[in-house]
Amino acid sequence: MRIDIVTIFPEFFDVLDLSLLGKARQSGLIDLGVHNLRDSTHDRHHSVDDTPYGGGAGMVMKAEPWGAALDGILGAEAPAAPPAAPPAAPTEGGPILIFPSPAGDQFTQAMARDLSLEQHLVFGCGRYEGIDQRVVDHYSERGRVRLVSLGDYVLNGGEVAVMAMIEAIGRLIPGVVGNPASLVEESHEDGLLEYPSYTKPASWRGLDVPPILLSGNHGAISTWRRQQQIERTERVRPDLLPRTN
Ligand code: 6GU
């Protein structure tokens, strides 16, 4: 998978050299490009923001640097000339341009799985009060664009959100996680939270591992784990369970 990130803080993404995703990059499973938005400015001060039309607090990211940066990344894949035939539905093929935004669709495990099947993701990290709306409007007319939110809280910018999305998506790419079985038994994959896990020693500070796990009875262990998943989900995230009324 090819991943491009446009940001005013490229160093933020240095951590993608580490751990599983770093290995995936070394082995070529993930091909990452991090682009400094300021490299796409043409004024002496490399300014990326300006005051909002209509007034109000804060600054808005200017459309021109975003246009230049995204054209540079998407350019090769964008249609060279207006097509004679009606354009193909922008919902199939080509890169997906993702803008992290608290006003976007909620990021979920299902969305991560869908995105892990894509060839090319482009993330545009906004800062300040957001990006000039015309950037989203312009690229929405030319291809697939999504606004995606991590949840109902506000971050200072999209960088941390993009990091979370790339980790969730990247580990679902075949070969990135060594043991694919470990992807199956975790929270959210089957709509339930995961069961509690234990390792040695069998007793720690007066707390014992549930005896069933030491029984060697794999059928009983499976049943117990499933029950733990259901109880935990009922207690912590009842919204995940199918409605019973
Ligand atoms: Cl994706 N971006 C920002 N700036 N804040 C957020 C978010 C995204 N998701 C939750 N809060």
Side-chain angles (χ1 to χ4, degrees), residues 44-81:
R44 210 155 53 85
H45 300 289
H46 300 285
S47 49
V48 294
D49 62 326
D50 207 333
T51 53
Y53 276 119
M59 300 288 269
V60 176
M61 293 189 109
K62 294 159 63 65
E64 297 107 315
W66 277 104
L70 293 172
D71 284 352
I73 293 165
L74 302 169
E77 293 175 84

PDB file of all heavy atoms in Angstrom, residues 44-81:
ATOM      1  N   ARG A  44       7.319  34.329   0.471  1.00  0.00           N
ATOM      2  CA  ARG A  44       8.587  34.375   1.193  1.00  0.00           C
ATOM      3  C   ARG A  44       8.464  33.790   2.610  1.00  0.00           C
ATOM      4  O   ARG A  44       9.427  33.246   3.147  1.00  0.00           O
ATOM      5  CB  ARG A  44       9.074  35.830   1.253  1.00  0.00           C
ATOM      6  CG  ARG A  44      10.565  36.013   1.301  1.00  0.00           C
ATOM      7  CD  ARG A  44      10.970  37.380   0.752  1.00  0.00           C
ATOM      8  NE  ARG A  44      10.242  38.481   1.400  1.00  0.00           N
ATOM      9  CZ  ARG A  44      10.624  39.061   2.564  1.00  0.00           C
ATOM     10  NH1 ARG A  44      11.704  38.643   3.172  1.00  0.00           N
ATOM     11  NH2 ARG A  44       9.918  40.050   3.061  1.00  0.00           N
ATOM     12  N   HIS A  45       7.284  33.918   3.189  1.00  0.00           N
ATOM     13  CA  HIS A  45       7.126  33.464   4.575  1.00  0.00           C
ATOM     14  C   HIS A  45       6.558  32.045   4.674  1.00  0.00           C
ATOM     15  O   HIS A  45       6.309  31.559   5.773  1.00  0.00           O
ATOM     16  CB  HIS A  45       6.236  34.449   5.348  1.00  0.00           C
ATOM     17  CG  HIS A  45       6.807  35.833   5.390  1.00  0.00           C
ATOM     18  ND1 HIS A  45       7.922  36.139   6.139  1.00  0.00           N
ATOM     19  CD2 HIS A  45       6.455  36.968   4.735  1.00  0.00           C
ATOM     20  CE1 HIS A  45       8.218  37.424   5.963  1.00  0.00           C
ATOM     21  NE2 HIS A  45       7.362  37.949   5.106  1.00  0.00           N
ATOM     22  N   HIS A  46       6.360  31.419   3.545  1.00  0.00           N
ATOM     23  CA  HIS A  46       5.818  30.043   3.529  1.00  0.00           C
ATOM     24  C   HIS A  46       4.539  29.953   4.356  1.00  0.00           C
ATOM     25  O   HIS A  46       4.353  29.016   5.133  1.00  0.00           O
ATOM     26  CB  HIS A  46       6.856  29.041   4.046  1.00  0.00           C
ATOM     27  CG  HIS A  46       8.113  29.014   3.224  1.00  0.00           C
ATOM     28  ND1 HIS A  46       8.179  28.427   1.982  1.00  0.00           N
ATOM     29  CD2 HIS A  46       9.345  29.525   3.469  1.00  0.00           C
ATOM     30  CE1 HIS A  46       9.398  28.575   1.487  1.00  0.00           C
ATOM     31  NE2 HIS A  46      10.129  29.245   2.367  1.00  0.00           N
ATOM     32  N   SER A  47       3.652  30.916   4.168  1.00  0.00           N
ATOM     33  CA  SER A  47       2.452  30.929   5.017  1.00  0.00           C
ATOM     34  C   SER A  47       1.412  29.941   4.502  1.00  0.00           C
ATOM     35  O   SER A  47       1.155  29.830   3.301  1.00  0.00           O
ATOM     36  CB  SER A  47       1.870  32.335   5.130  1.00  0.00           C
ATOM     37  OG  SER A  47       1.752  32.910   3.853  1.00  0.00           O
ATOM     38  N   VAL A  48       0.840  29.226   5.425  1.00  0.00           N
ATOM     39  CA  VAL A  48      -0.153  28.205   5.095  1.00  0.00           C
ATOM     40  C   VAL A  48      -1.536  28.582   5.618  1.00  0.00           C
ATOM     41  O   VAL A  48      -2.503  27.861   5.373  1.00  0.00           O
ATOM     42  CB  VAL A  48       0.248  26.824   5.668  1.00  0.00           C
ATOM     43  CG1 VAL A  48       1.509  26.308   4.978  1.00  0.00           C
ATOM     44  CG2 VAL A  48       0.450  26.900   7.182  1.00  0.00           C
ATOM     45  N   ASP A  49      -1.650  29.691   6.354  1.00  0.00           N
ATOM     46  CA  ASP A  49      -2.944  30.031   6.947  1.00  0.00           C
ATOM     47  C   ASP A  49      -3.225  31.518   6.801  1.00  0.00           C
ATOM     48  O   ASP A  49      -2.334  32.317   6.522  1.00  0.00           O
ATOM     49  CB  ASP A  49      -2.989  29.622   8.421  1.00  0.00           C
ATOM     50  CG  ASP A  49      -1.940  30.358   9.249  1.00  0.00           C
ATOM     51  OD1 ASP A  49      -0.841  30.648   8.721  1.00  0.00           O
ATOM     52  OD2 ASP A  49      -2.220  30.657  10.421  1.00  0.00           O
ATOM     53  N   ASP A  50      -4.504  31.867   6.978  1.00  0.00           N
ATOM     54  CA  ASP A  50      -4.925  33.268   6.873  1.00  0.00           C
ATOM     55  C   ASP A  50      -6.198  33.429   7.705  1.00  0.00           C
ATOM     56  O   ASP A  50      -6.775  32.439   8.173  1.00  0.00           O
ATOM     57  CB  ASP A  50      -5.152  33.618   5.396  1.00  0.00           C
ATOM     58  CG  ASP A  50      -4.930  35.115   5.113  1.00  0.00           C
ATOM     59  OD1 ASP A  50      -5.113  35.931   6.038  1.00  0.00           O
ATOM     60  OD2 ASP A  50      -4.596  35.445   3.960  1.00  0.00           O
ATOM     61  N   THR A  51      -6.644  34.684   7.834  1.00  0.00           N
ATOM     62  CA  THR A  51      -7.830  34.936   8.666  1.00  0.00           C
ATOM     63  C   THR A  51      -9.099  34.469   7.952  1.00  0.00           C
ATOM     64  O   THR A  51      -9.166  34.464   6.727  1.00  0.00           O
ATOM     65  CB  THR A  51      -7.954  36.439   8.968  1.00  0.00           C
ATOM     66  OG1 THR A  51      -7.920  37.154   7.717  1.00  0.00           O
ATOM     67  CG2 THR A  51      -6.792  36.909   9.834  1.00  0.00           C
ATOM     68  N   PRO A  52     -10.109  34.070   8.717  1.00  0.00           N
ATOM     69  CA  PRO A  52     -11.333  33.542   8.089  1.00  0.00           C
ATOM     70  C   PRO A  52     -12.210  34.638   7.487  1.00  0.00           C
ATOM     71  O   PRO A  52     -12.417  35.676   8.112  1.00  0.00           O
ATOM     72  CB  PRO A  52     -12.060  32.858   9.257  1.00  0.00           C
ATOM     73  CG  PRO A  52     -11.532  33.484  10.497  1.00  0.00           C
ATOM     74  CD  PRO A  52     -10.149  33.975  10.192  1.00  0.00           C
ATOM     75  N   TYR A  53     -12.721  34.397   6.269  1.00  0.00           N
ATOM     76  CA  TYR A  53     -13.775  35.258   5.724  1.00  0.00           C
ATOM     77  C   TYR A  53     -14.971  35.192   6.672  1.00  0.00           C
ATOM     78  O   TYR A  53     -15.325  34.123   7.166  1.00  0.00           O
ATOM     79  CB  TYR A  53     -14.215  34.763   4.339  1.00  0.00           C
ATOM     80  CG  TYR A  53     -13.337  35.246   3.206  1.00  0.00           C
ATOM     81  CD1 TYR A  53     -12.662  34.332   2.407  1.00  0.00           C
ATOM     82  CD2 TYR A  53     -13.211  36.608   2.935  1.00  0.00           C
ATOM     83  CE1 TYR A  53     -11.869  34.765   1.348  1.00  0.00           C
ATOM     84  CE2 TYR A  53     -12.420  37.048   1.884  1.00  0.00           C
ATOM     85  CZ  TYR A  53     -11.754  36.123   1.101  1.00  0.00           C
ATOM     86  OH  TYR A  53     -10.976  36.555   0.071  1.00  0.00           O
ATOM     87  N   GLY A  54     -15.579  36.340   6.900  1.00  0.00           N
ATOM     88  CA  GLY A  54     -16.741  36.386   7.785  1.00  0.00           C
ATOM     89  C   GLY A  54     -16.370  36.618   9.233  1.00  0.00           C
ATOM     90  O   GLY A  54     -17.251  36.762  10.084  1.00  0.00           O
ATOM     91  N   GLY A  55     -15.059  36.623   9.493  1.00  0.00           N
ATOM     92  CA  GLY A  55     -14.594  36.901  10.851  1.00  0.00           C
ATOM     93  C   GLY A  55     -14.628  35.674  11.734  1.00  0.00           C
ATOM     94  O   GLY A  55     -14.987  34.577  11.310  1.00  0.00           O
ATOM     95  N   GLY A  56     -14.233  35.878  12.981  1.00  0.00           N
ATOM     96  CA  GLY A  56     -14.196  34.770  13.927  1.00  0.00           C
ATOM     97  C   GLY A  56     -12.785  34.491  14.395  1.00  0.00           C
ATOM     98  O   GLY A  56     -11.811  35.058  13.876  1.00  0.00           O
ATOM     99  N   ALA A  57     -12.704  33.623  15.385  1.00  0.00           N
ATOM    100  CA  ALA A  57     -11.412  33.331  16.013  1.00  0.00           C
ATOM    101  C   ALA A  57     -10.602  32.395  15.136  1.00  0.00           C
ATOM    102  O   ALA A  57     -11.146  31.641  14.338  1.00  0.00           O
ATOM    103  CB  ALA A  57     -11.648  32.706  17.384  1.00  0.00           C
ATOM    104  N   GLY A  58      -9.297  32.452  15.324  1.00  0.00           N
ATOM    105  CA  GLY A  58      -8.418  31.463  14.709  1.00  0.00           C
ATOM    106  C   GLY A  58      -8.116  31.741  13.258  1.00  0.00           C
ATOM    107  O   GLY A  58      -8.527  32.751  12.684  1.00  0.00           O
ATOM    108  N   MET A  59      -7.366  30.831  12.680  1.00  0.00           N
ATOM    109  CA  MET A  59      -6.887  30.962  11.313  1.00  0.00           C
ATOM    110  C   MET A  59      -7.354  29.761  10.511  1.00  0.00           C
ATOM    111  O   MET A  59      -7.626  28.702  11.067  1.00  0.00           O
ATOM    112  CB  MET A  59      -5.357  31.016  11.306  1.00  0.00           C
ATOM    113  CG  MET A  59      -4.790  32.180  12.105  1.00  0.00           C
ATOM    114  SD  MET A  59      -5.051  33.752  11.271  1.00  0.00           S
ATOM    115  CE  MET A  59      -3.545  33.846  10.311  1.00  0.00           C
ATOM    116  N   VAL A  60      -7.440  29.951   9.206  1.00  0.00           N
ATOM    117  CA  VAL A  60      -7.888  28.883   8.308  1.00  0.00           C
ATOM    118  C   VAL A  60      -6.745  28.552   7.360  1.00  0.00           C
ATOM    119  O   VAL A  60      -6.045  29.458   6.881  1.00  0.00           O
ATOM    120  CB  VAL A  60      -9.137  29.337   7.518  1.00  0.00           C
ATOM    121  CG1 VAL A  60      -9.569  28.277   6.516  1.00  0.00           C
ATOM    122  CG2 VAL A  60     -10.275  29.676   8.474  1.00  0.00           C
ATOM    123  N   MET A  61      -6.546  27.276   7.073  1.00  0.00           N
ATOM    124  CA  MET A  61      -5.484  26.890   6.141  1.00  0.00           C
ATOM    125  C   MET A  61      -5.888  27.268   4.717  1.00  0.00           C
ATOM    126  O   MET A  61      -7.022  27.020   4.286  1.00  0.00           O
ATOM    127  CB  MET A  61      -5.175  25.405   6.264  1.00  0.00           C
ATOM    128  CG  MET A  61      -4.546  25.079   7.612  1.00  0.00           C
ATOM    129  SD  MET A  61      -3.937  23.391   7.700  1.00  0.00           S
ATOM    130  CE  MET A  61      -2.175  23.715   7.698  1.00  0.00           C
ATOM    131  N   LYS A  62      -4.950  27.871   3.999  1.00  0.00           N
ATOM    132  CA  LYS A  62      -5.204  28.412   2.665  1.00  0.00           C
ATOM    133  C   LYS A  62      -5.331  27.287   1.628  1.00  0.00           C
ATOM    134  O   LYS A  62      -4.647  26.269   1.707  1.00  0.00           O
ATOM    135  CB  LYS A  62      -4.047  29.343   2.255  1.00  0.00           C
ATOM    136  CG  LYS A  62      -3.939  30.588   3.106  1.00  0.00           C
ATOM    137  CD  LYS A  62      -2.540  31.211   3.037  1.00  0.00           C
ATOM    138  CE  LYS A  62      -2.176  31.685   1.651  1.00  0.00           C
ATOM    139  NZ  LYS A  62      -3.045  32.795   1.186  1.00  0.00           N
ATOM    140  N   ALA A  63      -6.165  27.534   0.630  1.00  0.00           N
ATOM    141  CA  ALA A  63      -6.409  26.511  -0.392  1.00  0.00           C
ATOM    142  C   ALA A  63      -5.193  26.290  -1.306  1.00  0.00           C
ATOM    143  O   ALA A  63      -4.911  25.153  -1.693  1.00  0.00           O
ATOM    144  CB  ALA A  63      -7.629  26.878  -1.227  1.00  0.00           C
ATOM    145  N   GLU A  64      -4.466  27.391  -1.651  1.00  0.00           N
ATOM    146  CA  GLU A  64      -3.416  27.224  -2.682  1.00  0.00           C
ATOM    147  C   GLU A  64      -2.327  26.221  -2.294  1.00  0.00           C
ATOM    148  O   GLU A  64      -1.988  25.353  -3.115  1.00  0.00           O
ATOM    149  CB  GLU A  64      -2.758  28.563  -3.040  1.00  0.00           C
ATOM    150  CG  GLU A  64      -3.690  29.587  -3.658  1.00  0.00           C
ATOM    151  CD  GLU A  64      -4.014  30.687  -2.678  1.00  0.00           C
ATOM    152  OE1 GLU A  64      -4.308  30.376  -1.502  1.00  0.00           O
ATOM    153  OE2 GLU A  64      -3.979  31.865  -3.082  1.00  0.00           O
ATOM    154  N   PRO A  65      -1.745  26.301  -1.089  1.00  0.00           N
ATOM    155  CA  PRO A  65      -0.718  25.300  -0.772  1.00  0.00           C
ATOM    156  C   PRO A  65      -1.277  23.881  -0.793  1.00  0.00           C
ATOM    157  O   PRO A  65      -0.616  22.949  -1.280  1.00  0.00           O
ATOM    158  CB  PRO A  65      -0.244  25.679   0.638  1.00  0.00           C
ATOM    159  CG  PRO A  65      -0.723  27.071   0.871  1.00  0.00           C
ATOM    160  CD  PRO A  65      -1.915  27.288  -0.011  1.00  0.00           C
ATOM    161  N   TRP A  66      -2.506  23.724  -0.303  1.00  0.00           N
ATOM    162  CA  TRP A  66      -3.106  22.383  -0.323  1.00  0.00           C
ATOM    163  C   TRP A  66      -3.298  21.899  -1.756  1.00  0.00           C
ATOM    164  O   TRP A  66      -3.029  20.734  -2.071  1.00  0.00           O
ATOM    165  CB  TRP A  66      -4.443  22.375   0.428  1.00  0.00           C
ATOM    166  CG  TRP A  66      -4.238  22.224   1.907  1.00  0.00           C
ATOM    167  CD1 TRP A  66      -4.338  23.187   2.863  1.00  0.00           C
ATOM    168  CD2 TRP A  66      -3.848  21.026   2.589  1.00  0.00           C
ATOM    169  NE1 TRP A  66      -4.040  22.670   4.106  1.00  0.00           N
ATOM    170  CE2 TRP A  66      -3.735  21.339   3.955  1.00  0.00           C
ATOM    171  CE3 TRP A  66      -3.577  19.717   2.164  1.00  0.00           C
ATOM    172  CZ2 TRP A  66      -3.365  20.396   4.907  1.00  0.00           C
ATOM    173  CZ3 TRP A  66      -3.205  18.778   3.123  1.00  0.00           C
ATOM    174  CH2 TRP A  66      -3.106  19.118   4.475  1.00  0.00           C
ATOM    175  N   GLY A  67      -3.753  22.787  -2.625  1.00  0.00           N
ATOM    176  CA  GLY A  67      -3.935  22.406  -4.023  1.00  0.00           C
ATOM    177  C   GLY A  67      -2.629  21.976  -4.665  1.00  0.00           C
ATOM    178  O   GLY A  67      -2.564  20.957  -5.355  1.00  0.00           O
ATOM    179  N   ALA A  68      -1.581  22.768  -4.412  1.00  0.00           N
ATOM    180  CA  ALA A  68      -0.280  22.440  -5.002  1.00  0.00           C
ATOM    181  C   ALA A  68       0.248  21.110  -4.463  1.00  0.00           C
ATOM    182  O   ALA A  68       0.735  20.260  -5.219  1.00  0.00           O
ATOM    183  CB  ALA A  68       0.715  23.567  -4.728  1.00  0.00           C
ATOM    184  N   ALA A  69       0.136  20.915  -3.152  1.00  0.00           N
ATOM    185  CA  ALA A  69       0.664  19.684  -2.540  1.00  0.00           C
ATOM    186  C   ALA A  69      -0.115  18.466  -3.037  1.00  0.00           C
ATOM    187  O   ALA A  69       0.478  17.452  -3.423  1.00  0.00           O
ATOM    188  CB  ALA A  69       0.581  19.779  -1.016  1.00  0.00           C
ATOM    189  N   LEU A  70      -1.436  18.576  -3.060  1.00  0.00           N
ATOM    190  CA  LEU A  70      -2.253  17.413  -3.429  1.00  0.00           C
ATOM    191  C   LEU A  70      -2.170  17.137  -4.922  1.00  0.00           C
ATOM    192  O   LEU A  70      -2.157  15.971  -5.338  1.00  0.00           O
ATOM    193  CB  LEU A  70      -3.699  17.616  -2.967  1.00  0.00           C
ATOM    194  CG  LEU A  70      -3.866  17.624  -1.441  1.00  0.00           C
ATOM    195  CD1 LEU A  70      -5.283  18.024  -1.050  1.00  0.00           C
ATOM    196  CD2 LEU A  70      -3.513  16.257  -0.837  1.00  0.00           C
ATOM    197  N   ASP A  71      -2.093  18.186  -5.759  1.00  0.00           N
ATOM    198  CA  ASP A  71      -1.900  17.946  -7.197  1.00  0.00           C
ATOM    199  C   ASP A  71      -0.597  17.192  -7.430  1.00  0.00           C
ATOM    200  O   ASP A  71      -0.527  16.305  -8.287  1.00  0.00           O
ATOM    201  CB  ASP A  71      -1.859  19.268  -7.972  1.00  0.00           C
ATOM    202  CG  ASP A  71      -3.248  19.881  -8.133  1.00  0.00           C
ATOM    203  OD1 ASP A  71      -4.243  19.216  -7.775  1.00  0.00           O
ATOM    204  OD2 ASP A  71      -3.327  21.034  -8.601  1.00  0.00           O
ATOM    205  N   GLY A  72       0.433  17.549  -6.667  1.00  0.00           N
ATOM    206  CA  GLY A  72       1.726  16.871  -6.820  1.00  0.00           C
ATOM    207  C   GLY A  72       1.641  15.394  -6.491  1.00  0.00           C
ATOM    208  O   GLY A  72       2.329  14.572  -7.093  1.00  0.00           O
ATOM    209  N   ILE A  73       0.812  15.051  -5.536  1.00  0.00           N
ATOM    210  CA  ILE A  73       0.693  13.647  -5.114  1.00  0.00           C
ATOM    211  C   ILE A  73      -0.300  12.894  -5.996  1.00  0.00           C
ATOM    212  O   ILE A  73      -0.057  11.767  -6.413  1.00  0.00           O
ATOM    213  CB  ILE A  73       0.244  13.575  -3.637  1.00  0.00           C
ATOM    214  CG1 ILE A  73       1.339  14.127  -2.732  1.00  0.00           C
ATOM    215  CG2 ILE A  73      -0.123  12.153  -3.249  1.00  0.00           C
ATOM    216  CD1 ILE A  73       0.874  14.426  -1.318  1.00  0.00           C
ATOM    217  N   LEU A  74      -1.431  13.537  -6.266  1.00  0.00           N
ATOM    218  CA  LEU A  74      -2.503  12.873  -7.015  1.00  0.00           C
ATOM    219  C   LEU A  74      -2.330  13.029  -8.514  1.00  0.00           C
ATOM    220  O   LEU A  74      -2.941  12.290  -9.287  1.00  0.00           O
ATOM    221  CB  LEU A  74      -3.869  13.465  -6.627  1.00  0.00           C
ATOM    222  CG  LEU A  74      -4.241  13.397  -5.154  1.00  0.00           C
ATOM    223  CD1 LEU A  74      -5.469  14.250  -4.867  1.00  0.00           C
ATOM    224  CD2 LEU A  74      -4.498  11.951  -4.738  1.00  0.00           C
ATOM    225  N   GLY A  75      -1.477  13.993  -8.910  1.00  0.00           N
ATOM    226  CA  GLY A  75      -1.397  14.411 -10.298  1.00  0.00           C
ATOM    227  C   GLY A  75      -1.321  13.281 -11.283  1.00  0.00           C
ATOM    228  O   GLY A  75      -2.114  13.217 -12.225  1.00  0.00           O
ATOM    229  N   ALA A  76      -0.389  12.359 -11.042  1.00  0.00           N
ATOM    230  CA  ALA A  76      -0.180  11.274 -11.997  1.00  0.00           C
ATOM    231  C   ALA A  76      -1.445  10.453 -12.165  1.00  0.00           C
ATOM    232  O   ALA A  76      -1.675   9.872 -13.216  1.00  0.00           O
ATOM    233  CB  ALA A  76       0.958  10.385 -11.534  1.00  0.00           C
ATOM    234  N   GLU A  77      -2.275  10.413 -11.099  1.00  0.00           N
ATOM    235  CA  GLU A  77      -3.439   9.545 -11.163  1.00  0.00           C
ATOM    236  C   GLU A  77      -4.701  10.298 -11.559  1.00  0.00           C
ATOM    237  O   GLU A  77      -5.725   9.692 -11.817  1.00  0.00           O
ATOM    238  CB  GLU A  77      -3.650   8.873  -9.813  1.00  0.00           C
ATOM    239  CG  GLU A  77      -2.522   7.909  -9.517  1.00  0.00           C
ATOM    240  CD  GLU A  77      -2.638   7.311  -8.134  1.00  0.00           C
ATOM    241  OE1 GLU A  77      -3.367   6.324  -8.003  1.00  0.00           O
ATOM    242  OE2 GLU A  77      -2.007   7.824  -7.208  1.00  0.00           O
ATOM    243  N   ALA A  78      -4.619  11.624 -11.608  1.00  0.00           N
ATOM    244  CA  ALA A  78      -5.798  12.407 -11.985  1.00  0.00           C
ATOM    245  C   ALA A  78      -5.964  12.369 -13.496  1.00  0.00           C
ATOM    246  O   ALA A  78      -4.989  12.239 -14.228  1.00  0.00           O
ATOM    247  CB  ALA A  78      -5.648  13.840 -11.502  1.00  0.00           C
ATOM    248  N   PRO A  79      -7.200  12.483 -13.984  1.00  0.00           N
ATOM    249  CA  PRO A  79      -7.379  12.491 -15.428  1.00  0.00           C
ATOM    250  C   PRO A  79      -6.619  13.660 -16.054  1.00  0.00           C
ATOM    251  O   PRO A  79      -6.666  14.774 -15.535  1.00  0.00           O
ATOM    252  CB  PRO A  79      -8.888  12.637 -15.611  1.00  0.00           C
ATOM    253  CG  PRO A  79      -9.491  12.813 -14.264  1.00  0.00           C
ATOM    254  CD  PRO A  79      -8.442  12.628 -13.232  1.00  0.00           C
ATOM    255  N   ALA A  80      -5.908  13.399 -17.144  1.00  0.00           N
ATOM    256  CA  ALA A  80      -5.056  14.425 -17.753  1.00  0.00           C
ATOM    257  C   ALA A  80      -5.904  15.507 -18.402  1.00  0.00           C
ATOM    258  O   ALA A  80      -5.566  16.666 -18.381  1.00  0.00           O
ATOM    259  CB  ALA A  80      -4.132  13.792 -18.780  1.00  0.00           C
ATOM    260  N   ALA A  81      -7.017  15.124 -18.996  1.00  0.00           N
ATOM    261  CA  ALA A  81      -7.902  16.079 -19.666  1.00  0.00           C
ATOM    262  C   ALA A  81      -9.331  15.711 -19.307  1.00  0.00           C
ATOM    263  O   ALA A  81      -9.599  14.577 -18.927  1.00  0.00           O
ATOM    264  CB  ALA A  81      -7.701  16.012 -21.173  1.00  0.00           C
TER     265      ALA A  81
END
